[in-house]
Amino acid sequence: MAHDAVTNRAVAAAAGVQAPTIYRLFGDEEGLLDAVAAHGFATYRGDKQARPPGDDPVEDLRAGWDLHVGFGLANPALHPLVYGDPRPGAPSPAAVAGHHVLEAHVRRVAVAGRLRVGERMAADLFHAAACGTVLTLLGTPEDRRDPALSPAAREAALAAITTSAPPAAGPGAAGAAIALRAALADVTALTPAERGLLAEWLERLGASGS
């Protein structure tokens, strides 16, 4: 669905209402498209992501990738509305909601001591790889799509941001710092200022990789 193919007047005519009604509800065309994307995205996630978190947060992250790619391939017009036209400073509400889900998955991996990079880097890298995979597949004729592409890209992204060793094996200083940084929001023994300072130290230590 190209942005320039949708106008408030055309939508009003198709819906059988006056154009001012659409403008009052959604504002400009961007607002209308954001509403369409948010509704479609929320409906898809509600249908596909009812299961509770599992015991292994890395497996949940892997499942989240498959959900994202499945959403993109099942909704070739909707996915570009959510992810294909980034607007710095004004992201699509649906994209924001999706990123919050990803951040929650990454936070659980960090708390488990399984991240090898900081949370923001992990979430951004995983998001970029998943979106790039979907856009590549959508740009390829269905009969030429390689079904091995998504699993290969997923495992490469996971290898870049997670460790295979369980926490009991000792994640090292950087891994321990990342895990503690992820759990810091629940710490009540420190003042907000103390938590802020400790968070800064832990972020620097986690980014050092040592």
Side-chain angles (χ1 to χ4, degrees):
M1 181 187 299
H3 283 209
D4 56 6
V6 178
T7 67
N8 281 358
R9 291 187 179 279
V11 172
V17 300
Q18 297 297 314
T21 301
I22 302 297
Y23 282 100
R24 185 172 65 253
L25 291 173
F26 304 108
D28 58 13
E29 281 80 7
E30 207 68 63
L32 175 61
L33 291 173
D34 280 346
V36 171
H39 174 74
F41 189 72
T43 300
Y44 187 84
R45 297 202 74 88
D47 291 343
K48 301 295 184 180
Q49 203 179 34
R51 68 185 186 90
D55 295 332
D56 186 342
V58 176
E59 280 301 314
D60 285 344
L61 192 57
R62 181 177 278 112
W65 173 291
D66 292 340
L67 178 68
H68 180 97
V69 173
F71 163 73
L73 297 183
N75 298 271
L78 189 57
H79 186 276
L81 284 182
V82 181
Y83 297 107
D85 185 19
R87 288 168 278 158
S92 160
V96 172
H99 206 70
H100 285 166
V101 173
L102 173 59
E103 288 171 342
H105 283 310
V106 169
R107 173 63 54 88
R108 290 185 62 235
V109 176
V111 171
R114 297 284 302 279
L115 276 188
R116 66 171 68 249
V117 298
E119 289 181 60
R120 180 181 298 180
M121 170 66 79
D124 286 349
L125 191 155
F126 206 69
H127 170 75
C131 285
T133 297
V134 173
L135 293 175
T136 298
L137 289 172
L138 289 179
T140 304
E142 285 193 54
D143 61 345
R144 294 179 54 195
R145 292 175 186 171
D146 185 348
L149 176 63
S150 179
R154 181 193 65 210
E155 295 309 307
L158 283 173
I161 67 173
T162 67
T163 64
S164 58
I178 292 170
L180 181 55
R181 173 69 178 83
L184 200 56
D186 298 325
V187 174
T188 59
L190 302 176
T191 67
E194 289 170 336
R195 283 201 304 272
L197 182 59
L198 181 56
E200 181 181 345
W201 290 344
L202 292 172
E203 189 167 348
R204 286 165 55 189
L205 182 56
S208 71
S210 58

